Amino acid sequence: MVLFTVVSYLFLHLILVGFGEIAHEVEEEIVLNGTAPMPTYHPDVIIYESQKTPEDYGKIFTIVFSVLIAFFIVYIIFKLKATAIKYLVMIAMYISLTYSLRGLLINFPLIISLSLSAFFVFLLISKISPTEVKTTILALVVGGIGALLGSMAYPYIWASILAIMMIYDLIAVHKGPMKNIAKASIEMDIPLLIKIKGENAEHYIGLGDYVFPMSLIASLLKYGSLGYAITSLCGMFIGAVVAL
């Protein structure tokens, strides 16, 4: 768990720097030409737009509502056809990896990130891929999503989002269908959980349990300070150890 968190943080830090450079370049193009140099659906434009108005409290509703809608879609698909979740997750992984690699490979054409993302998704679903490879790819996913979400809002807004998501998580895990979805993920080898080996048993932690704290850490790195970010990272370690 410690190694995965550290690797995720390193990816997050590097990707966050890349996102900052991308946003700066897009902004320069807009100032010079009056418009972005690429379509609105281009990852670079979305990265730029995500960093605008980080002080907007409305993003609390936007992010929480988006998470709930995403979970609702997963739940409906799970009820209709559980095996279809794997394909949905692979699409989500591909998109996430594209953004992650875009932040790391800012000096390369977008097609490189798109191609590598497809290859990494293949490695994730391949039964012959070593666990270490899959875990590293998932750390890249966590770092990329955390960097993108974290740059959307100031730390105090993310603290509010985490408080809301904590309540949601308690309900979804203990009274909702989260346990069944997690069980199906394990049975179908869907990369939504990270396996943690304890002294007497194996434990699983969902990617969301990494992504949202990492989003706060990314926000602290971008809009706060490195010291606060490291403190939050240590708090994440302690919380995970206590929970396990």
Side-chain angles (χ1 to χ4, degrees), residues 72-85 88:
F72 179 74
I73 292 173
V74 169
Y75 174 68
I76 293 299
I77 293 176
F78 175 74
K79 295 295 289 184
L80 294 176
K81 189 176 182 180
T83 54
I85 292 181
L88 180 65

Side-chain angles (χ1 to χ4, degrees), residues 43-194:
D44 288 7
V45 177
I46 294 175
I47 290 168
Y48 164 73
E49 291 290 340
S50 71
Q51 299 183 35
K52 293 172 65 176
T53 63
E55 74 284 354
D56 182 9
Y57 277 99
K59 290 187 176 181
I60 296 176
F61 172 79
T62 301
I63 294 173
V64 172
F65 182 73
S66 298
V67 171
L68 294 178
I69 289 297
F71 177 76
F72 179 74
I73 292 173
V74 169
Y75 174 68
I76 293 299
I77 293 176
F78 175 74
K79 295 295 289 184
L80 294 176
K81 189 176 182 180
T83 54
I85 292 181
K86 189 166 188 175
Y87 300 103
L88 180 65
V89 170
M90 290 304 103
I91 294 172
M93 288 290 177
Y94 177 75
I95 295 172
S96 301
L97 283 166
T98 297
Y99 280 95
S100 300
L101 291 169
R102 185 61 184 150
L104 291 176
L105 307 175
I106 58 175
N107 295 319
F108 293 86
L110 177 60
I111 188 64
I112 300 297
S113 297
L114 293 170
S115 302
L116 283 176
S117 296
F119 177 64
F120 286 168
V121 168
F122 169 76
L123 291 178
L124 278 176
I125 63 177
S126 174
K127 295 186 180 298
I128 63 173
S129 297
T131 301
E132 293 78 9
V133 171
K134 293 184 178 182
T135 303
T136 302
I137 294 173
L138 290 178
L140 178 60
V141 170
V142 169
I145 298 176
L148 187 64
L149 291 177
S151 61
M152 290 178 65
Y154 284 149
Y156 58 83
I157 292 178
W158 262 107
S160 301
I161 293 172
L162 284 180
I164 296 172
M165 294 309 301
M166 180 181 66
I167 298 172
Y168 157 77
D169 199 44
L170 286 172
I171 297 173
V173 171
H174 294 288
K175 295 186 178 181
M178 191 67 78
K179 284 186 178 180
N180 292 332
I181 294 176
K183 183 179 179 181
S185 298
I186 296 172
E187 292 174 350
M188 292 185 285
D189 195 26
I190 300 175
L192 285 176
L193 303 168
I194 301 298

